[in-house]
Amino acid sequence: MLHHIHYLDKKSAAFLSEALIKHFSKKTDYTEIVVVCIGTNRYSWDSLGPVVGSRLFERLEGNRHVHIYGTLDKPVHALNLQRTLSYIANRHSQAYIIAVDACLGQFYKIGTLQLVEEPLQPGAGLGKQLHAIGHIHIKGIINNHGPLNHKVMEHTSLTFVNEMAAVISRILVKASQEIIPHLLSVNSKGNQASS
C-alpha cells in the first residue's frame, strides 16, 4: 500500500506517522526499531537519507529501542549496503526496519513524500540492483525522473532537501514515540518468559 502527501502540507507528519504506526501494529512481536537511511554526503540530490539519519540521531540518541544507520558522518550507500544489512540482521534480528531514501519522480510530484508498505529497492531509479531493505520505507521525490541529466541532479537545492528531511524526521520521531511503549511491553513479556 502507498500513502503519499506533499512535504509542505501541514498534515504530512501526522498523516504519514499514523500510517506507519498502523503498519507496525499489524505484527506486534518486534523488540526494537531500526531506521536505515540510504544515500551519500557527496551530492545534495542523494543526501536526503543521511540528513534524515543525522537529524534522527540528534533527536533519538541514547534511546536503546531505536537504532539509526546512515548519517552524514557515516552514510549507508551502494558500497557498504550489504555489509550494513548483514550487521543489522545479526544484531537486530527482531527489529521493525524502516528504510529512507531519495527518489526521482514526475515533475509535478517533486516534494511528495511516499510511505510504501514494502521493502525499499535502493538504486532502482538508477538501474542498480541492490539488496531490498526494510518492512516499510519512506521516499522523498527530490527531482524529475527522465533521461538522467546530471546537470539537473546537481541543481537540487540543499535547502529543499533539508526541509524535506526535517518533515521525514518529524514523522519518524512521532511514530517512534507511539511505538516504543509497545516495544517495552514485548520486551518485558520476553524477559518474564526467560526468567
Side-chain angles (χ1 to χ4, degrees), residues 21-193:
I21 294 160
K22 275 186 185 163
H23 182 264
F24 167 84
S25 303
K26 291 176 185 173
K27 186 170 180 275
T28 55
D29 60 348
Y30 301 110
T31 57
E32 54 193 343
I33 300 168
V34 167
V35 185
V36 186
C37 301
I38 310 296
T40 180
N41 54 15
R42 294 183 177 211
Y43 310 104
S44 61
W45 58 268
D46 199 24
S47 65
L48 180 66
V51 174
V52 170
S54 292
R55 284 176 168 274
L56 288 175
F57 194 78
E58 285 173 19
R59 298 279 304 274
L60 299 168
E61 185 181 11
N63 189 312
R64 60 194 181 92
H65 300 290
V66 184
H67 309 277
I68 315 299
Y69 292 88
T71 62
L72 287 167
D73 290 336
K74 294 181 180 174
V76 173
H77 45 65
L79 299 179
N80 64 7
L81 180 62
Q82 192 54 53
R83 189 170 67 241
T84 304
L85 293 181
S86 297
Y87 179 83
I88 290 168
N90 289 330
R91 183 139 185 191
H92 309 288
S93 60
Q94 281 187 274
Y96 179 66
I97 301 174
I98 306 163
V100 178
D101 200 3
C103 73
L104 303 173
Q106 291 160 302
F107 182 76
Y108 67 92
K109 290 186 177 174
I110 293 173
T112 299
L113 300 178
Q114 298 180 333
L115 180 74
V116 188
E117 296 184 11
E118 60 187 41
L120 172 72
Q121 295 288 340
L126 300 175
K128 294 180 182 174
Q129 289 194 325
L130 301 171
H131 207 284
I133 310 164
H135 297 97
I136 194 166
H137 68 274
I138 298 177
K139 293 190 288 196
I141 300 177
I142 52 92
N143 219 318
N144 192 30
H145 189 288
L148 203 55
N149 182 337
H150 286 284
K151 287 247 183 288
V152 171
M153 302 288 273
E154 285 162 14
H155 288 95
T156 301
S157 159
L158 190 54
T159 302
F160 167 63
V161 170
N162 272 321
E163 287 173 355
M164 196 182 279
V167 176
I168 295 172
S169 60
R170 274 204 303 279
I171 292 163
L172 293 171
V173 168
K174 191 172 170 50
S176 297
Q177 289 167 341
E178 293 278 333
I179 289 170
I180 286 168
H182 298 285
L183 300 175
L184 293 172
S185 69
V186 170
N187 285 324
S188 66
K189 283 176 193 163
N191 291 338
Q192 287 168 7

